[in-house]
């Protein structure tokens, strides 16, 4: 398929990524974050044109998706984003690859690196895995989630969704609710949303809010009613049972009663409050379907749509950093 020329609205906003890799939301600073959001906005509009052909921003370049943990939306979102930029994409089915034969993370990455990809997108269960890889390869590394540590493109797509809905992130009160302890989404969002001027609250039972949270500059609440009072955005987190050691909650039924977002609890938030969730959702555990599927309050589908635009912005800006105008 022939690639399309880059529309002016995108070309004007394309600036180099501030760092060689995107490993953490803290790699950004306020001007860089706003520049990426502006670029992502332009991609979002472009993506809505049904006839859009792939752009030539990454033509002839390869993006490798390396997912050691299961993923539906993040891996497909990166794949679509890279294809829309004209890149060739290889998604490694890690279960069926040499990894299943015991090849280590580093061996796998070094092997893939020898095939000279432009960007390696990595998800791994160990915190710090993407950082480790970035020191071993010659391409740019994008962290698509490392353990409970960081998931920076999720924070970017969440900020994009919030900015498009409210016009600005600054000045909003965002309540991040539930299993903060095991959530890389929470850690990345705390960093980016605070950087953009939002007031971030953490709301959950003491067993699911890490004690370090006091140092993160967020207000902490152990009751939904108090935590949601006046919140403009209610961001629910998945209860990450696979990362829990020991019983941190009595039962999922009881969890829903106290912490699950339903209409009654949502009414405690500010008038016009919006609901977010990174997916996958445990319906009836941390969120009621009635709220999740109500398009007048739920931004969950928009988050998925904005995921593609935000990842296009990251991939394009990293390529711009590596090659400048010399595409
Ligand atoms: C999140 C993740 O993998 O960290 N999901 C996602 O990227 N869409 C959140 C989660 O798994 O609960």
């Amino acid at each position: 398929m022939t690639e399309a020329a880059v529309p002016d609205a995108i070309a004007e906003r394309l600036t180099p990524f501030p760092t060689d890799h995107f490993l953490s939301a803290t790699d950004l600073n306020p001007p860089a974050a706003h520049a990426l959001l502006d670029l992502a906005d332009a991609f979002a509009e472009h993506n809505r044109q049904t006839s859009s052909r792939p752009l030539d921003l990454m033509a002839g370049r390869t993006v490798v998706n390396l997912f050691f943990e299961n993923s539906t939306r993040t891996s497909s979102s990166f794949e679509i984003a890279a294809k829309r930029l004209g890149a060739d994409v290889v998604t490694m089915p890690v279960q069926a690859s040499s990894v299943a034969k015991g090849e280590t993370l580093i061996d796998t990455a070094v092997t893939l690196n020898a095939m000279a990809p432009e960007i390696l997108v990595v998800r791994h269960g160990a915190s710090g895995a993407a950082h480790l890889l970035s020191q071993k390869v010659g391409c740019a590394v994008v962290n698509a989630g490392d353990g409970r540590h960081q998931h920076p493109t999720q924070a970017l797509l969440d900020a994009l969704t919030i900015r498009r809905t409210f016009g600005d992130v600054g000045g909003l009160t965002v309540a991040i609710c539930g299993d903060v302890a095991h959530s890389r989404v929470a850690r990345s969002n705390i960093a980016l949303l605070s950087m953009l001027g939002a007031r971030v609250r953490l709301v959950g039972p003491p067993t699911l809010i890490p004690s370090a949270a006091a140092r993160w500059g967020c207000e902490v609440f152990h009751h939904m009613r108090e935590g949601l009072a006046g919140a403009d955005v209610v961001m629910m987190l998945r209860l990450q049972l696979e990362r829990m050691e020991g019983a941190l909650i009595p039962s999922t039924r009881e969890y829903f009663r106290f912490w699950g977002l339903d209409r009654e609890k949502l009414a405690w938030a500010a008038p016009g409050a919006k609901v977010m969730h990174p997916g996958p959702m445990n319906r009836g555990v941390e969120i009621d379907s009635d709220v999740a599927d109500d398009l007048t309050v739920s931004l969950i589908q928009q988050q998925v749509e904005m995921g593609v635009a935000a990842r296009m912005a990251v991939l394009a800006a990293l390529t711009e950093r590596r090659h400048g105008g010399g595409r």
Side-chain angles (χ1 to χ4, degrees), residues 69-70 73-74 123 144-145 151 154 184-185 237-238 240 242-243 277-280 311:
E69 275 189 351
N70 292 342
R73 74 207 76 215
T74 306
R123 168 170 286 193
H151 189 357
Q154 178 72 40
R184 51 199 178 202
V185 173
L237 299 172
R238 183 173 65 88
Q240 305 207 4
E242 80 278 16
R243 293 191 211 283
H277 191 303
R311 287 169 179 127

Side-chain angles (χ1 to χ4, degrees), residues 105-186:
L105 166 68
I106 301 294
D107 285 340
T108 308
V110 169
T111 303
L112 291 170
N113 187 51
M115 299 174 197
E118 187 65 21
I119 297 177
L120 196 55
V121 179
V122 188
R123 168 170 286 193
H124 196 278
S127 299
H131 183 254
L132 185 67
L133 272 190
S134 71
Q135 297 174 323
K136 308 281 177 193
V137 296
C139 58
V141 173
V142 177
N143 183 3
D146 62 328
R148 60 181 73 179
H149 178 231
Q150 279 283 320
H151 189 357
T153 59
Q154 178 72 40
L156 196 67
L157 77 88
D158 288 340
L160 180 64
T161 307
I162 294 173
R163 204 179 76 159
R164 287 172 67 95
T165 304
F166 291 89
D168 194 4
V169 176
L172 296 176
T173 298
V174 180
I176 302 182
C177 307
D179 187 0
V180 174
H182 302 96
S183 176
R184 51 199 178 202
V185 173

